[in-house]
């Protein structure tokens, strides 16, 4: 429109000749096309590696979920970055098409680094790749007409019967039977080397740090689970119908631990420099096994929760952990840890302290055993529990007292309901 307007004004004033006017029009059109292309290029955006957390300075690009030419919607995942604590999902800031990938899988990336180039645009259903065409079955090939005449069979020449083979003289039998030589044992001797992921490296570092720093001791006790099993059996159906959660043993152990920590505050403390920090709240770390390693999401203010609330929170955190959706806020902090090796069949074990915490409670498998009760031998379901504690914070008397209180609460669950 602009070029036509200029040409019309110029023609009316007699400034240019017709040939000059046509040249001017072509120049204006070329400028307009160049302007369109430059605007088109300016639309491309470079998406950077997001900020992951103050304590995370780098990560490993584990996978691209989109490739060059793929269309993405706003907030759709494009890549996954593995850190030593969590997996970070990189999403597209807006709808568009992936133009270029600026990093390869297994590369180390840092926050703020250029990751991929996006050309914004509306994503429509038609932009998705067409479904594969169905292959039409090939027409059957016509078989060559068979000759009606029977095929001539080769005539076998009459052969004379072979002469009888001469009889072999039997070899003289050996007086001693020879024993066969033993066959060498063969088997696979292959080796497979797999690079440790960042989470496993971080776990190894923290466990070794705990082993070197804490003065760790472990005390054991046995819990008669009869009353707890009977209570769970009686109410688990009603709890599932009314609240939609499965009533497990972990909520009872969490509640018993929270009550015992109120009475033994040193087990809920930590060392910071030359000071001991005591807390009047319980942020309970629950160990959860995932394919990438052991994680410990935190149930906040467990001391103020009932059994149903604890069970619901543990179930939600466990589901997020197994799906790899835990955030840093789900695992930060924690004042006391419970680890349940019994789900894998462990009978005894000494759990390791999750620094800077003071102690960790280990649960194990339940087994029926003969025990002495009121002068008689009876069969009872017994669980061995272990408390590993940092002797710098807890003396033996406090650690043993704590574990005895947990035992008393679990062997008489009604006490947990009566406790404030």
């Amino acid at each position: 429109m602009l070029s036509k307007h200029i040409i019309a004004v110029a023609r009316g004033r007699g400034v240019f000749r017709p040939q000059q006017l046509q040249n001017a029009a072509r120049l204006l059109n070329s400028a307009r096309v160049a302007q369109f292309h430059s605007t088109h290029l300016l639309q491309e955006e470079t998406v950077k590696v997001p900020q992951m957390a103050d304590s995370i300075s780098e990560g490993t690009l584990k996978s691209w979920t989109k490739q060059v030419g793929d269309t993405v919607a706003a907030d759709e995942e494009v890549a996954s970055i593995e850190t030593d604590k969590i997996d970070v999902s990189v999403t597209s800031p807006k709808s568009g098409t992936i133009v270029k990938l600026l990093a390869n899988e297994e590369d180390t990336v840092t926050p703020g680094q250029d990751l991929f180039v996006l050309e914004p645009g509306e994503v429509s259903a038609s932009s998705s790749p067409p479904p594969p065409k169905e292959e039409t079955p090939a027409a059957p090939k016509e078989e060559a007409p068979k000759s009606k005449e029977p095929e001539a069979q080769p005539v076998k020449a009459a052969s004379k019967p072979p002469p009888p083979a001469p009889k072999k003289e039997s070899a003289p039998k050996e007086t001693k039977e020879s024993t066969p030589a033993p066959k060498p044992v063969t088997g696979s001797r292959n080796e497979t080397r797999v690079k440790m992921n960042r989470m496993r490296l971080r776990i190894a570092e923290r466990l070794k740090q705990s082993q070197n720093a804490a003065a760790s001791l472990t005390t054991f006790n046995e819990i008669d689970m009869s009353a707890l099993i009977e209570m769970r059996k009686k109410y688990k159906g009603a709890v599932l119908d009314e609240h939609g959660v499965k009533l497990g043993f972990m909520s009872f152990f969490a509640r018993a631990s929270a009550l015992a920590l109120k009475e033994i505050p040193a087990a809920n403390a930590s060392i910071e420099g030359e000071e001991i920090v005591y807390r009047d709240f319980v942020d309970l770390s629950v160990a959860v096994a995932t394919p990438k390693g052991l994680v410990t999401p935190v149930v906040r203010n467990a001391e103020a929760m009932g059994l149903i609330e604890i069970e619901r929170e543990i179930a939600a955190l466990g589901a997020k952990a197994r799906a790899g959706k835990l955030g840093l806020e789900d695992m930060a902090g924690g004042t006391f840890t419970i680890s349940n090796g019994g789900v894998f069949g462990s009978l005894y074990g000494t759990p390791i302290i999750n620094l800077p915490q003071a102690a960790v409670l280990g649960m194990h498998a339940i087994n029926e055993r003969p025990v002495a009760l009121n002068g008689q031998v009876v069969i009872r379901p017994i669980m061995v529990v272990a408390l590993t504690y940092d002797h710098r914070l807890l003396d033996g008397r406090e650690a043993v007292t704590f574990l005895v209180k947990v035992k008393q609460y679990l062997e008489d669950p009604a006490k947990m309901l009566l406790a404030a």
Side-chain angles (χ1 to χ4, degrees):
M1 294 298 294
L2 178 62
S3 61
K4 290 181 179 179
H5 178 71
I6 294 173
I7 293 170
V9 172
R11 184 183 287 114
R13 294 184 180 180
V15 179
F16 297 111
R17 295 177 182 177
Q19 184 62 35
Q20 292 174 325
L21 292 173
Q22 290 178 4
N23 293 338
R26 279 196 293 268
L27 289 172
L28 286 170
N29 288 332
S30 299
R32 183 173 57 187
V33 171
Q35 181 183 7
F36 169 78
H37 283 294
S38 63
T39 305
H40 179 71
L41 290 174
L42 288 175
Q43 288 180 346
E44 295 183 353
E45 295 185 9
T46 300
V47 181
K48 301 180 180 297
V49 177
Q51 293 294 330
M52 293 172 276
D54 294 338
S55 59
I56 299 178
S57 59
E58 64 179 18
T60 301
L61 180 62
K62 292 306 294 182
S63 63
W64 286 105
T65 54
K66 296 291 182 179
Q67 297 297 326
V68 173
D70 291 349
T71 57
V72 292
D75 298 326
E76 185 177 358
E77 183 177 298
V78 177
S80 176
I81 297 175
E82 180 188 74
T83 72
D84 57 0
K85 295 180 180 178
I86 58 173
D87 287 349
V88 177
S89 177
V90 181
T91 59
S92 175
K94 56 183 68 175
S95 301
T97 304
I98 304 295
V99 176
K100 189 176 182 181
L101 304 180
L102 304 177
N104 298 319
E105 292 182 356
E106 300 300 329
D107 283 357
T108 298
V109 295
T110 57
Q113 175 182 332
D114 293 345
L115 193 59
F116 65 93
V117 179
L118 176 72
E119 181 182 324
E122 294 297 327
V123 178
S124 60
S126 60
S127 63
S128 58
K133 296 181 180 179
E134 296 183 359
E135 296 183 0
T136 55
K141 297 181 180 180
E142 295 184 1
E143 295 183 0
K146 294 183 178 180
S147 175
K148 294 182 180 179
E149 296 180 1
E151 295 181 359
Q153 299 291 335
V155 180
K156 294 182 179 180
S159 58
K160 295 181 180 180
K167 293 182 180 181
K168 296 181 179 180
E169 295 182 0
S170 57
K173 294 183 179 180
E174 297 181 1
T175 54
K176 294 183 180 179
E177 294 183 358
S178 59
T179 57
K183 295 182 179 179
V185 178
T186 59
S188 174
R189 295 181 58 80
N190 295 332
E191 292 182 349
T192 303
R193 294 178 181 266
V194 179
K195 184 180 179 181
M196 292 176 68
N197 60 50
R198 286 181 174 269
M199 184 178 292
R200 174 59 63 186
L201 287 169
R202 180 61 175 165
I203 291 172
E205 178 186 345
R206 285 183 57 81
L207 292 179
K208 189 59 182 174
Q209 179 186 0
S210 174
Q211 189 181 49
N212 293 339
S216 299
L217 288 178
T218 304
T219 181
F220 297 89
N221 214 317
E222 294 181 347
I223 297 177
D224 184 348
M225 299 287 287
S226 303
L228 194 57
I229 291 173
E230 187 62 28
M231 182 177 179
R232 177 175 176 269
K233 181 180 178 181
K234 184 176 181 179
Y235 294 107
K236 67 177 182 179
V239 169
L240 182 60
D241 294 339
E242 187 173 349
H243 301 280
V245 295
K246 294 181 179 179
L247 188 61
F249 293 124
M250 182 62 79
S251 57
F252 290 95
F253 276 81
R255 178 63 178 162
S257 297
L259 294 173
L261 288 170
K262 284 185 177 182
E263 302 178 56
I264 312 294
N268 196 43
S270 64
I271 296 177
E272 292 186 8
E274 296 182 355
E275 297 178 336
I276 299 176
V277 181
Y278 293 96
R279 302 174 178 88
D280 57 2
F281 59 89
V282 177
D283 284 350
L284 196 65
S285 300
V286 180
V288 179
T290 69
K292 289 188 176 181
L294 188 71
V295 294
T296 53
V298 180
V299 179
R300 310 286 176 186
N301 290 106
E303 82 288 349
M305 293 183 178
L307 294 172
I308 305 300
E309 294 171 304
I310 293 174
E311 199 67 63
R312 184 181 288 115
E313 184 67 13
I314 290 175
L317 290 171
K320 289 177 69 176
R322 287 184 288 273
K325 301 298 182 182
L326 285 176
L328 285 176
E329 66 279 1
D330 296 320
M331 296 189 291
T335 61
F336 184 83
T337 296
I338 297 180
S339 177
N340 186 7
V343 295
F344 306 109
S346 173
L347 291 177
Y348 298 91
T350 56
I352 192 166
I353 298 171
N354 183 16
L355 288 181
Q357 297 175 17
V360 53
L361 178 67
M363 301 167 57
H364 299 96
I366 302 171
N367 283 290
E368 290 189 344
R369 286 173 44 190
V371 296
L373 184 64
N374 298 326
Q376 294 183 343
V377 177
V378 294
I379 303 299
R380 287 288 187 269
I382 301 297
M383 176 191 287
V384 176
V385 289
L387 181 76
T388 299
Y389 59 97
D390 190 345
H391 210 341
R392 298 177 301 168
L393 278 168
L394 275 80
D395 294 331
R397 177 184 62 84
E398 294 173 308
V400 172
T401 301
F402 172 86
L403 201 55
V404 168
K405 288 187 176 295
V406 170
K407 170 185 170 71
Q408 291 171 350
Y409 281 123
L410 294 173
E411 290 186 341
D412 189 1
K415 287 184 178 179
M416 289 189 282
L417 304 178
L418 298 174

